[in-house]
Amino acid sequence: IVVFNTPGANANAVKELVVCGMLLSSRGIIQGNIYSKTLSGKSSSELNKSMELQKKNFKGNELKGKTLGIIGLGAIGSLVAQTAEVMGMKIIGYDPYISIDAAWRLPKNVEKADSMDYLLSESDYISIHVPLVEATKDLINKESLKKFKKGSKLINLSRGGIVNNEDIIEALDSKIIDKFVTDFPTPELISRSNEHHDVILLPHLGASTKEAEVNCAVMAAEQISNFLNNGIIVNSVNFPSVKLGRKTKYRMVIINQNEPGLIGKITDEIGYKNINIADMTHKSRDAIGINLIDLEEEPSKELIKNIENIDHVINVRLCNKLT
């Protein structure tokens, strides 16, 4: 059974929240909002006088000209880089596993960091966009925080376990970092934010937009439709990616265990029926292989049955293209 996911469908929603996080950590917006609520009951002249006296307490800094370090340059990280460049920021990126597709999406002015330590030491803002796996658990910890540029701001909209919150609180106390914006509140972070304005908490809002939900639904439907109609697989978590442009009306989709010599046995059965193969491709991933085979003629039920009976063949399906 092919299992799909929808990577990148919510990327724009998360990207916009990263920009929001940078602004919230820079401009005294939250503090100014809290103060403004205390002005209830004052006349217009009193309001203006109070605001002019107090607004200096909420003075912040602009993003233009600052350096943004992006850890992880996939669908979200590359969009963050594009937007930050438009906003006039300098960008440093770090991703030792970057794909070719992701590299194509990056602005040409992104500086490639050879190490995460370099990125941390040079960035005014750091935004994390990596999955939570064993290698990234507590990626930001007491040791890595020592490499941060003093007074920098950290934004984590990826997964809570990537950042060690106790170490973050210590770094805030020692002024190693100035602000921490996260989408993953915890008891210790909530307690900190109630006492200080250096922790900004969001209730896991990264992908919470109507547009992101629609994008995910549409992408899922399109991927399933493409697999059912053409055998094409993209964004599967358990099968290899496989694509083949249609050459004929008749396509066989064959799923098999990844065993040596199996492709030859399949093509032999097709040859025994004197059917020409117009085009084909085979991809494998771990123990699973998949074949897309375009035939000049419609295969008989007997041929399909013969292929199904080959050892290690799991499933054979015919996708006739509608005309």
Side-chain angles (χ1 to χ4, degrees), residues 68-69 71 119-120 123 125-128 148 152-155:
L68 170 63
I71 302 173
L119 178 147
L120 299 178
S123 301
Y125 298 81
I126 296 99
S127 189
I128 305 170
F148 274 59
S152 58
K153 299 168 175 64
L154 176 63
I155 300 166

Side-chain angles (χ1 to χ4, degrees), residues 150-319:
K150 192 172 181 62
S152 58
K153 299 168 175 64
L154 176 63
I155 300 166
N156 177 28
L157 303 186
S158 288
R159 290 291 183 267
I162 294 170
V163 175
N164 185 301
N165 293 328
E166 292 181 359
D167 293 346
I168 282 289
I169 291 171
E170 287 185 16
L172 289 166
D173 284 336
S174 58
K175 306 300 182 183
I176 292 175
I177 60 174
D178 179 60
K179 295 286 193 310
F180 178 48
V181 182
T182 182
D183 218 9
F184 311 99
T186 61
E188 64 269 24
L189 292 177
I190 293 170
S191 177
R192 175 76 184 195
S193 67
N194 286 335
E195 298 173 3
H196 301 80
H197 293 303
D198 52 12
V199 172
I200 299 171
L201 301 176
L202 305 171
H204 204 179
L205 296 178
S208 296
T209 68
K210 294 178 181 178
E211 293 84 353
E213 291 176 356
V214 170
N215 290 342
C216 288
V218 170
M219 180 182 284
E222 288 177 343
Q223 289 173 176
I224 293 170
S225 175
N226 214 8
F227 173 65
L228 294 177
N229 292 321
N230 299 297
I232 291 173
I233 297 175
V234 293
N235 298 327
S236 171
V237 300
N238 63 335
F239 267 69
S241 295
V242 60
K243 294 181 181 181
L244 183 68
R246 292 293 291 247
K247 297 296 188 297
T248 70
K249 180 180 177 180
Y250 310 106
R251 169 169 291 182
M252 279 200 299
V253 180
I254 304 171
I255 298 172
N256 56 269
Q257 295 174 357
N258 193 19
E259 295 289 334
L262 205 55
I263 297 174
K265 294 177 182 178
I266 293 170
T267 55
D268 283 347
E269 288 294 336
I270 296 171
Y272 295 151
K273 295 298 182 181
N274 293 316
I275 296 178
N276 187 48
I277 296 175
D279 201 359
M280 68 177 292
T281 187
H282 167 84
K283 297 292 181 182
S284 63
R285 176 177 176 179
D286 300 326
I288 291 291
I290 185 166
N291 305 271
L292 305 184
I293 304 176
D294 286 351
L295 304 174
E296 298 268 336
E297 302 173 30
E298 184 172 11
S300 64
K301 292 181 180 179
E302 180 186 3
L303 172 57
I304 293 173
K305 190 67 176 178
N306 290 344
I307 295 175
E308 287 176 337
N309 289 335
I310 297 173
D311 287 343
H312 307 299
V313 169
I314 299 170
N315 178 267
V316 180
R317 183 164 59 88
L318 183 64
C319 299

